[in-house]
Amino acid sequence: MSIAVAHEDPTHLGVLAKVVDEGPASKRIVTGYGFWIFLLSDIVMFSCFFAVYAVLLGQTASGPTGAQLFNLKSVAIETACLLLSSFTCGMASIAAEERNRFWFQVAMGVTCIFGLAFLWIEFHEFADLVARGAGPSRSAFLSAFFTLVGCHGGHVSAGILWLLTMMAQVLAKGFRADILRRLLCFALFWHALDIIWVAVFSVVYLLGSAA
C-alpha cells in the first residue's frame, strides 16, 4: 500500500511562521477595539434619543417652538469650542506619542478650557430657557430636547473629569503603557462626542429652528 506524502508550500509556511512569531495584538490595540464597542453602544443610545426628538419635534403643546427659542449664534460658538477641543486633543495624542510631557499638558489644558467653555454656554442656554418658562416639563418637544442635549452635556462633563485625571496621572507617573492605553480610550471618547455634537447641531438646532 502506497502512502502519499503531501508537500507543504514553503511560501505558505513562511507566512504562517511570521504570523506565529508576531503573536497576539498588543494590549493597546485590544483595549482600543474594546472601547470602540462601548462607544458604539453609546451611539445606539443617542440614536434612540434622536429618533424620539424627531417624533416629538412638533409636539409643543401650543408652547414655543425651536425657531422661537434657539439662539444659533451661541450654538455656533459652542460648536466651534468643541471642534477646536477635538483638534487640541489630537495634538495631545501626538505629544503623548512623542513622550513630550510639556506639550501634552498644554494641549490637554487647552482642551479642558474649550470643554468648560462649551459647558458654560450650554448651562446658560438651559437656564435661560427655564427662566422663559420653556423647561423640560413645558412640552414633549422640550422634554426630548433637554434629554438629548443634556445627555451629551453630561458626557462632556464626564470627559473633562477623565481629562483632568489623565493629566494628573501623566504628571505623576509619566507615559507608562497602561496610561497610554487610557489616553487612547479618552481620545476615542472625546472625538466621538464631537461627532455626536455635529449631529445635534444639524438635527436639533438647524432643523429645529426651521420647524
Side-chain angles (χ1 to χ4, degrees):
M1 181 173 60
S2 61
I3 301 176
V5 179
H7 295 283
E8 298 287 351
D9 182 2
T11 303
H12 173 72
L13 290 176
V15 173
L16 181 62
K18 182 178 179 181
V19 172
V20 173
D21 289 341
E22 288 179 352
S26 66
K27 286 185 178 180
R28 189 164 185 258
I29 294 176
V30 172
T31 301
Y33 179 78
F35 198 75
W36 263 116
I37 296 177
F38 161 75
L39 288 179
L40 288 175
S41 67
D42 218 30
I43 290 173
V44 169
M45 179 189 68
F46 274 104
S47 298
C48 294
F49 288 154
F50 276 112
V52 172
Y53 177 82
V55 171
L56 300 178
L57 180 59
Q59 305 302 315
T60 61
S62 301
T65 64
Q68 297 170 324
L69 295 174
F70 297 154
N71 183 349
L72 291 182
K73 181 178 180 180
S74 65
V75 177
I77 296 174
E78 273 185 286
T79 304
C81 288
L82 207 57
L83 293 180
L84 287 172
S85 76
S86 186
F87 171 76
T88 54
C89 179
M91 297 302 293
S93 298
I94 295 175
E97 290 292 337
E98 297 295 327
R99 306 298 191 272
N100 190 318
R101 291 196 188 191
F102 174 77
W103 285 113
F104 170 81
Q105 297 289 355
V106 169
M108 290 289 271
V110 175
T111 302
C112 182
I113 291 173
F114 280 131
L116 290 173
F118 172 87
L119 290 177
W120 180 258
I121 296 172
E122 187 168 280
F123 173 79
H124 276 275
E125 178 190 20
F126 282 5
D128 179 64
L129 290 177
V130 172
R132 293 160 62 184
S137 62
R138 177 62 182 84
S139 64
F141 157 66
L142 286 169
S143 295
F145 167 77
F146 275 91
T147 300
L148 174 57
V149 180
C151 183
H152 180 272
H155 279 66
V156 174
S157 300
I160 289 176
L161 292 176
W162 191 356
L163 180 153
L164 295 173
T165 301
M166 296 312 305
M167 291 179 67
Q169 287 190 350
V170 170
L171 185 64
K173 302 176 182 179
F175 296 108
R176 296 188 330 196
D178 57 334
I179 293 177
L180 288 175
R181 289 195 295 270
R182 294 167 198 158
L183 286 172
L184 170 64
C185 292
F186 168 76
L188 290 174
F189 180 77
W190 197 260
H191 293 312
L193 291 182
D194 288 346
I195 295 173
I196 294 172
W197 178 255
V198 171
V200 171
F201 177 72
S202 302
V203 174
V204 175
Y205 289 100
L206 292 184
L207 295 181
S209 296

